């Protein structure tokens, strides 16, 4: 992503069409903000921000007709630099962004987990099924579809070893019970 951001920052002012400059600027802001939010190495973030800031300052001096666009980008970068500084000085502000997780079992196993926790552990047992499912979809970056229908199908099938039983066995095994 870092290379993409640098490439965009160099391209922004090589284009004469104002609408394309605005599109590239928006893309630069979006990618830069995402990078600053997800990158845990604050020194790398700071280095990139300073490099992009320098590039924009040079372009501002070379292309006075784009002064407003440059000022906007500089404002965004200065804001990200300040956020980075705060994160460095106040480690309690740092949020660790985990790598995306991948659900590697069946959809039915995940649906079983969702239904198993619904009235038990989420929002004091008042979690709405759709919201819980949406959270699991987000965490694992998958689309479950209509889980009520799939759960109904699961209930009518011949019982086999359930996922929750496998979780229980695995936990007991780790606890050496």
């Amino acid at each position: 992503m870092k290379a993409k951001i640098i490439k965009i920052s160099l391209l922004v002012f090589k284009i004469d069409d104002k609408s394309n400059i605005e599109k590239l600027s928006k893309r630069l802001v979006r990618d830069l903000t995402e990078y600053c939010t997800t990158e845990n190495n604050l020194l790398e973030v700071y280095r990139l921000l300073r490099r992009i800031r320098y590039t924009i300052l040079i372009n501002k001096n070379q292309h006075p007709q784009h002064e407003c666009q440059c000022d906007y980008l500089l404002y965004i970068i200065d804001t990200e630099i300040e956020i980075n500084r705060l994160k460095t000085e106040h480690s309690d502000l740092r949020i660790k962004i985990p790598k995306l997780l991948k659900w590697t079992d069946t959809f039915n196993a995940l649906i079983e987990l969702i239904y198993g926790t619904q009235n038990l552990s989420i929002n004091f047992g008042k979690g709405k099924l759709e919201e819980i499912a949406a959270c699991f979809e987000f965490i694992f970056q998958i689309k479950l579809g209509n889980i009520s229908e799939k759960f109904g199908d699961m209930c009518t099938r011949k019982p086999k070893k359930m996922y929750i039983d496998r979780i229980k066995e695995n936990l007991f095994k780790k606890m050496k019970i």
Side-chain angles (χ1 to χ4, degrees):
M1 176 171 275
K2 201 163 102 172
K4 182 176 151 185
I5 292 169
I6 292 168
K7 183 179 177 184
I8 294 170
S9 72
L10 294 171
L11 280 175
V12 169
F13 300 102
K14 291 188 177 176
I15 299 170
D16 290 330
D17 182 16
K18 188 177 180 179
S19 66
N20 281 336
I21 290 172
E22 288 177 10
K23 284 179 190 174
L24 273 176
S25 293
K26 285 180 183 178
R27 192 166 147 201
L28 176 62
V29 168
R30 185 190 68 229
D31 291 348
L32 196 59
T33 304
E34 182 183 339
Y35 176 78
C36 292
T37 305
T38 57
E39 177 58 52
N40 287 325
N41 186 337
L42 298 180
L43 187 57
E44 284 298 313
V45 171
Y46 183 74
R47 283 183 179 140
L48 178 66
L49 290 169
R50 296 299 294 185
R51 183 177 179 181
I52 302 298
R53 189 178 199 293
Y54 181 73
T55 302
I56 292 170
L57 276 174
I58 289 172
N59 280 300
K60 181 179 178 181
N61 293 332
Q62 291 176 350
H63 305 282
Q65 70 273 24
H66 302 301
E67 186 176 354
C68 286
Q69 199 67 38
C70 289
D71 287 342
Y72 169 70
L73 292 172
L74 289 170
Y75 169 76
I76 297 295
I77 291 168
D78 289 342
T79 301
E80 291 299 334
I81 288 172
E82 180 64 15
I83 291 169
N84 196 49
R85 184 188 64 74
L86 287 169
K87 285 180 181 178
T88 304
E89 291 175 3
H90 305 282
S91 60
D92 56 325
L93 293 176
R94 286 178 108 180
I95 298 171
K96 297 277 188 208
I97 307 292
K99 298 212 184 286
L100 289 179
L101 302 173
K102 183 176 182 181
W103 182 260
T104 55
D105 211 311
T106 65
F107 282 170
N108 285 352
L110 186 56
I111 291 168
E112 191 178 319
L113 185 62
I114 291 168
Y115 271 88
T117 58
Q118 180 190 10
N119 295 329
L120 188 64
S121 306
I122 299 174
N123 290 349
F124 304 102
K126 294 180 172 78
K128 292 184 179 165
L129 192 62
E130 303 81 30
E131 292 171 354
I132 297 168
C135 288
F136 277 88
E137 286 178 328
F138 175 76
I139 290 169
F140 297 116
Q141 295 295 297
I142 60 172
K143 188 74 181 140
L144 291 171
N146 185 344
I147 67 167
S148 298
E149 185 179 304
K150 290 177 184 171
F151 184 73
D153 292 344
M154 289 167 54
C155 292
T156 60
R157 288 189 196 132
K158 185 170 85 174
K160 57 181 180 182
K161 191 169 203 171
M162 296 180 71
Y163 182 68
I164 290 178
D165 294 329
R166 292 184 2 224
I167 291 173
K168 183 178 172 182
E169 286 174 15
N170 188 46
L171 180 62
F172 286 165
K173 189 179 186 182
K174 288 183 188 267
M175 295 171 77
K176 297 179 176 138
I177 295 177

